[in-house]
Amino acid sequence: MAIRAVVWGENIHDRENATVRAIYPNGMHGAIASALNEDPAITATTATLEQPEHGLTAARLAETDVLTWWGHRAHGDVSDAVVERVAERVWQGMGLIVLHSGHFSKIFKKLMGTPCSLKWREAGEHERVWAINRSHPIAQGVGEGFVVPETEMYGEPFAVPEPMETVFISWYQGGEVFRSGMTFQRGGGRIFYFSPGHEVYPIYNDPNVRTVLRNAVRWAANPAPAWSGILKAPNVPTEKAPEPIAERGPKLHAAGEAGFR
Ligand code: ZN
C-alpha cells in the first residue's frame, strides 16, 4: 500500500497575499502535495486550517502515515484538541514533517519541549543547503546540496533539543548558518524539520526541495502497527510480575488503582 500522506496548510498567505497566490495558485499545500504525488509510493491529500477540525479528524489521522505541517500567521488559531490528537498519533508512530515557519507551530513546540526560536531576516538572499550526512535517506538525490536562489534567512541559535541527526546545514549570503534539516524521534514517530519554504518565493516548486520532501515522507513512514497503548501507565499487580516476587514495603496505592496524572 502506498504511504498515506496528508499535507496540512494554514492557507492564509496563499489566499490573501497576491505574491504568494501568484506563485502557488493551488496553495502551498497544493504544491507540496503535487511534489509528493510524483512518487508512486506516496498518496498525498491536503487539509487546511479553515476546514472543520482543520481537516484533521481522528478518523483521518488514524489513516495517515505521514503528516506535513506548514503554518505561520495563525499558529494560535489551531485548536489545542487537534494538536493533542496529532501529538498522540506521532507518539503512536505517525511521521511528521514540519516545514519552515512551522517551527513555531503548537505541535512542533509541544513535541520539542523547547522555545523553537531562531533568527530571521527577509532580504531575498541566497541559501546554500549543505547535505552534511550524505548517506542519509533524506539527502539522496541532491548531491552535496543545493542553492535556494532567494529566500528568508533563518539563523542559529535555533532553540530545539539536540536532534537525532542533522541532515542539512544552510549558509546564507549574509553570513548566518542554520541547521536546516534535522530528525527527531518522539515515541513511535519520526519527525523531520526542514526550513526551506518561505512563502514569497517559489521554493516548493524547486526540484531539489521537492526531492527532499519525498525522501522525508518515505523516511518518516513507519510500517509498524500504531502503538495504541503508548499513553497508558499500567499498575502491574504483584502476582502478574514476569518473575515471582513477594510483595513488601509500604504502599501508597491500592492494588489495581490507577496512578496520578
Ligand atoms: Zn517565512
Side-chain angles (χ1 to χ4, degrees):
M1 189 169 65
I3 297 164
R4 301 163 299 182
V6 172
V7 176
W8 191 85
E10 184 181 273
N11 196 25
I12 295 179
H13 301 306
D14 327 40
R15 287 180 299 170
E16 297 182 2
N17 182 288
T19 304
V20 181
R21 210 167 49 227
I23 299 168
Y24 298 114
N26 299 315
M28 275 182 280
H29 50 284
I32 294 165
S34 83
L36 300 183
N37 281 323
E38 285 168 10
D39 186 338
I42 302 170
T43 302
T45 55
T46 63
T48 50
L49 177 70
E50 77 277 9
Q51 294 173 336
E53 302 183 59
H54 314 319
L56 301 174
T57 61
R60 186 161 187 204
L61 285 173
E63 296 183 339
T64 301
D65 299 310
V66 180
L67 177 67
T68 76
W69 194 279
W70 196 103
H72 183 213
R73 209 175 89 180
H75 294 315
D77 294 346
V78 176
S79 123
D80 291 338
V82 169
V83 172
E84 198 61 41
R85 188 185 289 164
V86 171
E88 191 173 329
R89 277 290 294 132
V90 171
W91 294 327
Q92 289 176 352
M94 182 181 76
L96 179 69
I97 314 296
V98 177
L99 299 168
H100 189 58
S101 41
H103 71 93
F104 265 160
S105 62
K106 286 182 179 178
I107 184 61
F108 191 60
K109 288 191 293 183
K110 178 181 179 73
L111 291 168
M112 295 298 108
T114 53
C116 301
S117 51
L118 45 73
K119 286 183 191 156
W120 60 284
R121 169 176 64 236
E122 283 190 281
E125 60 206 284
H126 73 251
E127 171 184 3
R128 287 189 180 276
V129 182
W130 291 97
I132 62 162
N133 181 349
R134 293 183 62 188
S135 72
H136 198 283
I138 297 177
Q140 297 313 297
V142 300
E144 284 201 323
F146 54 95
V147 172
V148 179
E150 290 176 299
T151 192
E152 175 183 30
M153 183 278 291
Y154 270 12
E156 298 283 345
F158 184 18
V160 290
E162 192 62 20
M164 193 155 65
E165 289 190 84
T166 303
V167 181
F168 298 111
I169 286 181
S170 285
W171 169 92
Y172 295 86
Q173 211 171 348
E176 287 88 350
V177 295
F178 192 67
R179 291 168 293 167
S180 47
M182 282 186 275
T183 67
F184 304 89
Q185 175 97 30
R186 293 292 182 270
R190 286 176 162 189
I191 300 169
F192 181 59
Y193 174 79
F194 187 52
S195 61
H198 187 50
E199 58 273 21
V200 299
Y201 300 109
I203 294 172
Y204 293 124
N205 296 337
D206 181 291
N208 289 304
V209 169
R210 292 165 78 88
T211 295
V212 170
L213 294 172
R214 287 189 292 272
N215 290 346
V217 166
R218 279 173 171 258
W219 170 84
N222 182 352
W227 185 353
S228 56
I230 193 167
L231 290 186
K232 294 188 182 138
N235 176 1
V236 182
T238 305
E239 65 275 15
K240 295 263 176 71
E243 301 287 343
I245 50 168
E247 195 168 285
R248 63 184 181 186
K251 293 173 66 155
L252 185 68
H253 295 279
E257 185 187 306
F260 300 116
R261 287 253 179 182

